[in-house]
Amino acid sequence: MEKLENPLPFHFICGTRPKHAEQKHLWTAADGGCKGKKSMADLISYVIRKILLAIPVILLATFIVFLMLYLTPGDPIVNILPPHASPDDIQKLREKYGFDQPFIVQYGKFLYRLAQGDLGQSVSRQTLNLDVSDLIIQRLPKTLELMAIGLTISYSLGIPLGVYSALKQNSWKDRSVMVFTLVAYAMPSFWLGILLMLLFAVYLGWLPIEGTVGGFKSIILPAMTLGLGNAALTTRMMRSSMLEVQRQDYITQLRSRGLPESEVIFKHALKNAMLPVITVIGLDIGWFVAGAVVVETVFSWPGLGLLVTNSITNYDYPTVQGCILVLAMFVVLGNLVADILYAFVDPRVRLG
Amino acid sequence: MPGRKPLLEIVGLRTQFFLHEGVVTALDGIDFTVYEKESVGIVGETGCGKSMTAFSILRLVPGPGKITAGNIFFMEPQDVRQRRMQLEIEAQEWYRRSSLVEKKKLVALYDYRDTGRKKKAKKLTPAQIDKIVPPDRVPTGVTRYYLAQNAKTMPASDKVGRAAALFSFDLLTRTDDQMRSIRGKSISMIFQDPATALDPVFTVAYQLGEVISLHQGIYDRAVLDKKIEEVLKLVRIAAPVNVMKQYPHELSGGMKQRVMIALALSCSPSLLIADEPTTALDVTIQAQILNLLRDLMRTTGSSMMLITHNLGVVAEVCDRICVMYAGRIVEEAETFELFANPRHPYTAGLLAAFPKLGERKDELSVIRGTVPNLMRPFQGCAFVERCEKATEVCGEDMPRRVEISPGHFVSCHLWTGKEGPNVR
Ligand SMILES: Nc1ncnc2c1ncn2[C@@H]1O[C@H](COP(=O)(O)OP(=O)(O)O)[C@@H](O)[C@H]1O
Ligand code: SF4
Ligand SMILES: [Mg+2]
């Protein structure tokens, strides 16, 4: 690895500079998160390599979903046509859309179009002949919004709670946090969603039941449903990681140098304890994709998840394929972001 | 040692771990002194409490452990020290003169406070009382009780008297904040394994800069960088500027230990505690690090407490040696004296097990038996089960610490009552 030309500052990646460093000008030329180790060129080549490697994975996902839809009994044509349509009409339309062709030909056509950047047209009754890409673009912001707020809730709750729990190890406070996380994690999200809905929307009437009409208010319940389970997981991870780090020699060593407890815990221990949590952010995003499908269905949240479930019930193959493509990309991107973050926070890890 | 100023004076230090299964007495009444500008070695088998001594001095005893008795006087001025010793003798007198009822009350109080026993002892016979509190060695709890009474009657202008009576220079009376300003600045510590003792996610410069700015109030970047470079040069790192930018994982073991030493010495402490600083290193590196430590101690004029289980190491570096066994110091002497005239059977055993240069041994002579379980309270000498010279009395009475020749202390019944001629 050649010497650094164009350093990407640590705080650029991580969003924050240690406060201490800023206040006391401790951020000397010689320290910093990534200086001297990871250059911009390395980063870009790494990202490109990862994305190229991810393409087969994404295609595999679409293939499996396509196969599963193909094997399920049922047909989009029946849904499009009125109930009294003649078998002849059905057959004609089927031929027109190419649903009479063998599986491999259909999938090949999908790939061929995909290579030209065309995701095809919807074949469900409500959105017949609309471009799938338009449908996705229209729904995508809603899902992104939901996932962003869900992730925020999950980390802004999970990390501090985990640290708190570790600092109060074995006290009743710690125990109650642990019980809470156990319950929150064990609860299936659709059930949690319904319970939250009953409490805050039906019983208390503070928040809208479903849909998006309530503006920001309407995203609270779905985002909470999405984020809570992961918050519980993050809490547990953060707690055990923090406890592990606190047992390390270097923490005692830092104390033996007279560092105030706040710096020992919130700078050194926290940064080290965050590492395992950062590695799973990629996995978390995968879970969030799956969770979004459920939560959007429960709360009728008009995002990709709802689109996918509706399309599946209508045998709208092109739309399902398009959505799966995008969701799989989420997972891949999530992993990529986590890898990069991890490499920049932990100097021992190199991209590559 | 007449003429030398004590820097650190540990008196009757006891550190215990309170576990579900019982109380582990890791340190059982330790006494020793580190004078200014000297290197003291602490030698003993694994688990005898060497590291706990170090952690107790810094008041960093982990987990369920607590310092339950004793004093750790650090940088006590001469006049305060003399006054305190006077007062301690007074306290002893006062205790001896007090009635049996009073004694009982005091001992019960002491027993409760200082031994960590859960319940106050109810019925005590005079013999039991004398066992808990030997009349010639009144422990901290009782002394402190007397002195605290005494301090109330002293005028506020009598600063020395009050400081002496209130144990102001005892590290155990310091607040946490005061302790923090002592750690790393006046007393610093080097750990055994340099591989795990540096924070892996910060650069060498960051970690050094942190300590320097904390204790010396230097926040200016350029000045700080210069200072860091100087400290790294001090520990003979050839390319300090490069090392500064590196993370711990990029350094070799010996290099890391040098950085650890730099961290410990960056604020010129009066006392450096090195807890097995070379155990985790290669043999060739060990010699380098030891030489470095010895030279640095000479040039900076700090004192060092070198903890090790390797007699060869202390022989080379230390002026004086304390031999520890099962949480007690069994023998203390100048290095030469200890090697020439080991008095305690345990020391003799250690030395016999230690191959001398040029000597070939077909079989290392090892002391038979193992270290006793520290959870069990000892009636008498802790070494009794492994000692070949043990007598009846050894299992019953704890041997007193006696000075058999100037500066040579032994705790063994073989030597009790055989104090040297010119010793008090
Ligand atoms: N966390 C702990 N819990 C219980 N006992 C402990 C703990 N740490 C140390 N001890 C006790 O203290 C004794 C001395 O330990 P230590 O000072 O680390 O020995 P060493 O001489 O090898 O450095 C051990 O034998 C053990 O009985
Ligand atoms: S006191 Fe007794 S048992 Fe202990 S070392 Fe001396 S002779 Fe041996
Ligand atoms: Mg040790």
Side-chain angles (χ1 to χ4, degrees):
Chain A
M1 206 161 290
E2 82 277 55
K3 195 113 176 78
L4 166 89
E5 305 281 27
N6 190 0
L8 195 59
F10 173 71
H11 53 90
F12 176 79
I13 296 287
C14 295
T16 52
R17 272 166 82 133
K19 222 173 172 184
H20 170 84
E22 216 145 40
Q23 284 166 351
K24 300 189 176 173
H25 314 289
L26 248 181
W27 201 257
T28 69
D31 52 45
C34 50
K35 184 142 182 172
K37 294 294 149 244
K38 290 138 196 162
S39 73
M40 195 59 152
D42 284 334
L43 180 69
I44 290 170
S45 81
Y46 176 77
V47 169
I48 290 173
R49 222 167 339 126
K50 274 277 171 169
I51 287 176
L52 288 178
L53 282 174
I55 288 174
V57 178
I58 295 176
L59 289 181
L60 186 68
T62 62
F63 180 80
I64 291 170
V65 172
F66 201 80
L67 184 65
M68 268 154 58
L69 282 173
Y70 183 81
L71 293 178
T72 355
D75 196 321
I77 305 303
V78 186
N79 287 315
I80 300 171
L81 288 173
H84 48 77
S86 70
D88 212 32
D89 291 341
I90 293 178
Q91 190 54 35
K92 250 187 217 157
L93 207 62
R94 194 169 280 159
E95 274 165 26
K96 184 187 165 215
Y97 282 112
F99 290 128
D100 56 337
Q101 282 160 334
F103 169 75
I104 283 300
V105 178
Q106 288 190 35
Y107 187 69
K109 277 188 176 167
F110 162 74
L111 286 185
Y112 179 70
R113 266 184 274 133
L114 184 64
Q116 295 165 326
D118 179 13
L119 286 175
Q121 281 80 38
S122 165
V123 290
S124 70
R125 186 128 62 130
Q126 295 88 346
T127 54
L128 195 60
N129 290 341
L130 290 180
D131 271 346
V132 169
S133 43
D134 286 345
L135 285 178
I136 289 175
I137 286 169
Q138 187 195 333
R139 299 291 191 102
L140 189 60
K142 283 287 162 204
T143 295
L144 285 180
E145 199 183 337
L146 183 64
M147 282 179 53
I149 295 182
L151 277 170
T152 312
I153 289 179
S154 128
Y155 294 120
S156 59
L157 205 65
I159 290 170
L161 215 54
V163 172
Y164 177 79
S165 213
L167 294 181
K168 306 271 179 204
Q169 193 197 359
N170 293 337
S171 69
W172 66 268
K173 291 167 190 158
D174 175 34
R175 298 238 161 81
S176 27
V177 170
M178 284 302 100
V179 169
F180 162 75
T181 58
L182 207 64
V183 172
Y185 186 62
M187 228 187 250
S189 61
F190 68 88
W191 189 43
L192 177 67
I194 292 170
L195 287 185
L196 288 177
M197 208 189 261
L198 276 176
L199 179 64
F200 290 103
V202 179
Y203 184 66
L204 294 171
W206 291 349
L207 299 166
I209 294 181
E210 54 167 41
T212 54
V213 282
F216 182 71
K217 265 186 172 178
S218 33
I219 202 170
I220 296 177
L221 284 185
M224 256 174 58
T225 311
L226 190 58
L228 267 183
N230 197 53
L233 203 63
T234 310
T235 307
R236 293 193 147 248
M237 246 185 111
M238 197 65 214
R239 176 180 180 270
S240 62
S241 171
M242 196 75 184
L243 289 176
E244 177 60 36
V245 166
Q246 281 191 306
R247 271 197 295 276
Q248 300 297 312
D249 263 3
Y250 57 80
I251 295 297
T252 316
Q253 175 75 47
L254 287 165
R255 293 203 173 104
S256 83
R257 284 177 222 153
L259 244 60
E261 202 60 8
S262 58
E263 275 184 34
V264 173
I265 298 293
F266 293 109
K267 191 162 77 189
H268 291 273
L270 190 61
K271 194 169 172 191
N272 279 285
M274 285 291 288
L275 297 179
V277 176
I278 289 172
T279 46
V280 298
I281 286 183
L283 295 177
D284 286 352
I285 290 176
W287 282 111
F288 267 77
V289 169
V293 175
V294 176
V295 169
E296 287 182 8
T297 312
V298 171
F299 286 94
S300 305
W301 183 259
L304 281 184
L306 192 61
L307 185 61
V308 123
T309 38
N310 286 342
S311 310
I312 288 172
T313 46
N314 291 333
Y315 298 95
D316 187 352
Y317 299 156
T319 313
V320 173
Q321 287 292 73
C323 291
I324 294 299
L325 200 70
V326 175
L327 293 179
M329 271 157 59
F330 270 146
V331 176
V332 169
L333 277 179
N335 278 311
L336 193 62
V337 168
D339 280 354
I340 294 171
L341 254 180
Y342 188 53
F344 275 87
V345 178
D346 189 341
R348 286 164 296 189
V349 175
R350 286 191 170 193
L351 289 175
Chain B
M1 289 282 106
R4 279 201 288 171
K5 272 179 75 185
L7 177 70
L8 178 84
E9 193 175 357
I10 295 180
V11 184
L13 183 67
R14 177 183 289 143
T15 299
Q16 292 169 311
F17 286 85
F18 298 89
L19 310 175
H20 288 301
E21 305 88 62
V23 179
V24 175
T25 307
L27 298 183
D28 190 7
I30 283 192
D31 305 275
F32 72 92
T33 306
V34 179
Y35 293 91
E36 280 182 355
K37 300 186 186 167
E38 80 163 348
S39 300
V40 177
I42 310 274
V43 191
E45 282 165 290
T46 305
C48 68
K50 304 182 298 289
S51 300
M52 275 315 129
T53 311
F55 286 129
S56 301
I57 293 170
L58 286 168
R59 289 208 6 222
L60 287 172
V61 180
K66 252 170 75 183
I67 299 171
T68 48
N71 308 105
I72 305 170
F73 297 106
F74 181 65
M75 292 175 97
E76 196 177 31
Q78 280 293 358
D79 48 352
V80 177
R81 180 164 183 265
Q82 270 159 15
R83 188 66 182 274
R84 170 175 62 79
M85 290 181 136
Q86 244 172 12
L87 285 168
E88 277 173 358
I89 292 168
E90 266 176 46
Q92 214 156 308
E93 279 301 308
W94 165 78
Y95 174 78
R96 214 171 289 162
R97 278 200 315 272
S98 51
S99 68
L100 195 63
V101 181
E102 268 175 311
K103 267 189 191 171
K104 259 188 202 171
K105 243 169 46 192
L106 275 169
V107 168
L109 188 71
Y110 156 72
D111 195 44
Y112 178 60
R113 258 210 225 136
D114 282 7
T115 60
R117 239 172 261 174
K118 287 278 153 51
K119 274 187 196 144
K120 285 189 190 182
K122 285 253 168 64
K123 291 189 185 102
L124 292 170
T125 61
Q128 277 173 321
I129 289 178
D130 280 355
K131 195 150 212 173
I132 296 171
V133 179
D136 60 339
R137 192 59 210 284
V138 183
T140 345
V142 176
T143 319
R144 194 177 288 173
Y145 175 77
Y146 170 76
L147 294 183
Q149 307 289 335
N150 215 338
K152 280 184 203 147
T153 63
M154 285 183 185
S157 56
D158 186 8
K159 290 230 171 61
V160 173
R162 287 181 77 94
L166 294 173
F167 289 167
S168 300
F169 292 88
D170 183 350
L171 291 182
L172 301 180
T173 63
R174 294 298 162 93
T175 63
D176 285 350
D177 269 344
Q178 286 171 331
M179 251 348 264
R180 268 195 287 277
S181 64
I182 288 172
R183 288 182 203 135
K185 189 180 187 185
S186 307
I187 306 179
S188 26
M189 181 164 169
I190 303 172
F191 285 38
Q192 174 171 345
D193 189 358
T196 59
L198 287 165
D199 187 336
V201 300
F202 288 94
T203 56
V204 169
Y206 189 91
Q207 299 190 44
L208 269 165
E210 199 173 43
V211 190
I212 294 174
S213 56
L214 177 73
H215 289 306
Q216 302 181 14
I218 300 171
Y219 299 120
D220 184 76
R221 226 176 85 171
V223 181
L224 203 57
D225 278 351
K226 193 133 192 91
K227 194 94 192 165
I228 294 169
E229 204 181 319
E230 261 168 39
V231 177
L232 288 176
K233 266 192 198 139
L234 187 74
V235 294
R236 298 185 199 150
I237 287 178
V241 182
N242 291 343
V243 171
M244 274 164 79
K245 292 180 198 159
Q246 284 179 310
Y247 288 93
H249 73 280
E250 297 169 289
L251 303 171
S252 67
M255 217 50 163
K256 272 182 225 165
Q257 198 60 300
R258 279 170 204 268
V259 170
M260 291 300 308
I261 296 173
L263 275 164
L265 294 183
S266 58
C267 300
S268 331
S270 328
L271 176 67
L272 175 72
I273 303 174
D275 187 358
E276 316 222 7
T278 57
T279 310
L281 303 176
D282 294 343
V283 182
T284 45
I285 311 289
Q286 283 189 9
Q288 285 177 16
I289 295 289
L290 278 179
N291 281 337
L292 175 68
L293 274 177
R294 188 177 48 194
D295 294 352
L296 284 175
M297 287 305 109
R298 279 194 193 137
T299 49
T300 57
S302 322
S303 300
M304 174 161 68
M305 200 177 120
L306 181 68
I307 296 173
T308 175
H309 58 249
N310 185 341
L311 272 170
V313 168
V314 279
E316 214 161 289
V317 179
C318 299
D319 306 319
R320 212 148 45 83
I321 299 178
C322 297
V323 181
M324 268 189 97
Y325 185 77
R328 292 172 187 169
I329 289 184
V330 293
E331 184 160 8
E332 176 186 339
E334 306 250 318
T335 306
F336 184 77
E337 164 77 5
L338 190 91
F339 276 81
N341 305 312
R343 297 304 191 199
H344 196 281
Y346 177 65
T347 318
L350 275 187
L351 286 177
F354 175 61
K356 288 180 190 67
L357 199 69
E359 182 182 352
R360 269 197 65 148
K361 273 191 186 170
D362 292 335
E363 192 182 305
L364 274 177
S365 67
V366 182
I367 309 170
R368 68 189 165 87
T370 50
V371 186
N373 179 2
L374 296 180
M375 200 166 316
R376 192 191 57 190
F378 306 111
Q379 282 275 315
C381 174
F383 192 54
V384 64
E385 280 163 21
R386 301 168 76 182
C387 183
E388 279 161 4
K389 296 179 181 159
T391 52
E392 196 104 324
V393 68
C394 298
E396 286 159 16
D397 275 333
M398 179 156 149
R400 258 184 326 126
R401 178 175 187 252
V402 293
E403 191 167 7
I404 48 172
S405 63
H408 192 155
F409 297 88
V410 181
S411 306
C412 170
H413 284 300
L414 293 178
W415 297 92
T416 317
K418 295 185 188 166
E419 284 93 337
N422 40 9
V423 172
R424 66 179 149 123

